[in-house]
Amino acid sequence: MTMTLSNGITRRNLLKTTTTAALFTAVKTAFPSGACAATAGPEVTGVKLGYIALTDSAALIIAKEKGFFEKHGLPDVEVAKQASWGATRDNLVLGGAANGIDGAHILSPMPYLMHTGKVTQNNVPVPMAILARLNCDSQAISVAKEYADTGVQLDATKLKAAFEKKKADGGEVKVAMTFPGGTHDLWIRYWLAAGGIDPDKDVSTIVVPPPQMVANMKVGNMDAFCVGEPWNEQLVNQGIGFTAASTGELWKGHPEKALGMRADWVEKNPNAAKALMMAVMEAQQWCESMGNKDEMAAIVGKRQWFNVPVKDIIGRLKGDINYGNGRVVHGTDLYMKFWANGASYPFKSHDTWFMAENIRWGKLAPDTDIKALVNQVNREDIWRAAAADLGVATADIPATTSRGKETFFDGKVFDPENPAAYLDSLSIKATS
């Protein structure tokens, strides 16, 4: 099938143009406000991206569904569902040329863990790049219904005695997250540790893919879990468990998923990387609009994307939270942010915290040069270049790469200029 652009140029004819000058002219004519507004067109017409069935992958899905990729000269972008974060990692290791993927909706620390070879086969490093943050907030910590009487919410200390009793009675306390060293692992570890529960000694941590969380809790395979939406809301709607806390209550405006790419793809295709970012940015702006939430829930809930009922997606997408323990709130600011308040920008200070926490829990060595590592992987320069070409309002472009000091619900303060002091202030951490 030959795609005809609005000005009569067919994509087939466009790709047949052989000289650099002619190609630039043709593409610029075809996309006057898109990828070639300021520079030469993309080196490729597509890229293979992965996603997990989580609401925070919406920007990639919307960019595909709404034609933003095509608008910016990337009509052949593939957005392929991944079974788990482990599968995402393995397909990134393969790369798109070897039937894997070139980039993905990904847990923000994962590109760093791959870049350093900490989570790859034989510890072989896979150079990675983070181009953007895909969202902030709106993950949650869910607990099995059997613990409802403890009254546990943001303060995890209320679970301490219940967990100790279960272990004393010969049971095993299992806490699930989605990938070791990933965001969900870090959120639930922080929450437990703040409540005096050592996630390495007092409970067993297990890995469960996001779409399998609800089914596993239904059959009693875990006592608590941390995952993104829509799975916490689905758990409540099915009456299986309840939400103890939304992660925005732990850290207001916290970073979550990222757009992670193989570094070799970015280096080989710098114009395509910028065009990709422009498409994603437009999608993020679309997703941010409260007026688009119903349509967004309907789109991502489709069988080919999440295969999840809209009712399991829409509530928390708008900031309406039924915690499932008798607590119901409406119109909160705990909804997922895709663009507002710098949600899309990959702040280096945020990545610095992720690295510090992975040092805390033994995923990275204590002597890791955090600043050097972040500078290697974080490509906020591409974000800024894309924002300039897209004409993003100055007010939406952060002045610096740091958010400065961050304060958590338990009063701990993280200074990105001194992560060592933060680590020293924590009473529970890995001992080996």
Side-chain angles (χ1 to χ4, degrees), residues 198-393:
D198 191 320
D200 287 328
K201 298 177 181 178
D202 299 333
V203 301
S204 299
T205 55
I206 60 174
V207 178
V208 176
Q212 297 177 26
M213 286 291 191
V214 176
N216 273 274
M217 185 168 276
K218 186 174 184 178
V219 297
N221 282 348
M222 81 267 284
D223 299 86
F225 65 69
C226 183
V227 75
E229 299 302 339
W231 308 113
N232 300 284
E233 186 161 7
Q234 184 178 91
L235 183 83
V236 170
N237 289 341
Q238 293 186 10
I240 299 167
F242 62 95
T243 295
S246 175
T247 50
E249 297 174 79
L250 275 68
W251 173 7
K252 191 75 167 180
H254 72 77
E256 183 49 43
K257 304 300 187 300
L259 175 58
M261 305 294 297
R262 285 180 58 104
D264 58 2
W265 187 90
V266 174
E267 294 305 320
K268 185 178 180 181
N269 305 290
N271 295 333
K274 185 164 63 171
L276 176 64
M277 270 309 312
M278 292 166 73
V280 170
M281 285 175 163
E282 285 209 56
Q284 288 182 287
Q285 292 174 46
W286 188 94
C287 290
E288 187 68 32
S289 173
M290 197 58 72
N292 291 332
K293 302 298 185 186
D294 289 294
E295 183 182 358
M296 179 179 141
I299 290 173
V300 300
K302 290 179 180 179
R303 184 169 183 173
Q304 69 265 38
W305 297 116
F306 293 3
N307 193 26
V308 170
V310 170
K311 67 180 178 64
D312 291 343
I313 304 171
I314 193 61
R316 299 187 186 202
L317 199 55
K318 293 183 175 181
D320 300 332
I321 305 176
N322 174 5
Y323 285 80
N325 56 2
R327 183 183 175 200
V328 180
V329 293
H330 296 283
T332 74
D333 60 358
L334 296 172
Y335 60 85
M336 190 171 290
K337 289 81 176 176
F338 296 93
W339 182 258
N341 301 317
S344 171
Y345 186 78
F347 286 97
K348 289 186 176 181
S349 60
H350 285 166
D351 286 353
T352 299
W353 182 83
F354 286 129
M355 296 306 95
E357 281 291 305
N358 269 302
I359 289 173
R360 175 187 186 182
W361 300 115
K363 300 296 188 295
L364 292 174
D367 62 352
T368 297
D369 187 336
I370 296 177
K371 185 174 182 179
L373 180 56
V374 170
N375 284 336
Q376 288 172 23
V377 176
N378 186 301
R379 293 300 306 274
E380 55 84 28
D381 58 308
I382 296 176
W383 191 100
R384 289 181 179 275
D389 279 12
L390 192 61
V392 170

Side-chain angles (χ1 to χ4, degrees), residues 85-159:
W85 293 120
T88 300
R89 170 204 57 204
D90 295 343
N91 282 322
L92 281 167
V93 171
L94 285 173
N99 295 318
I101 56 178
D102 303 297
H105 150 251
I106 200 166
L107 299 163
S108 284
M110 277 186 67
Y112 288 95
L113 297 173
M114 293 180 64
H115 188 85
T116 54
K118 300 300 181 182
V119 296
T120 54
Q121 189 172 12
N122 299 322
N123 300 120
V124 177
V126 178
M128 294 291 295
I130 285 179
L131 305 192
R133 204 75 62 198
L134 289 180
N135 74 295
C136 293
D137 287 335
S138 199
Q139 316 298 293
I141 295 168
S142 289
V143 181
K145 201 171 184 178
E146 65 182 280
Y147 297 100
D149 290 344
T150 66
V152 65
Q153 294 183 19
L154 191 56
D155 181 3
T157 58
K158 294 183 177 181
L159 282 178

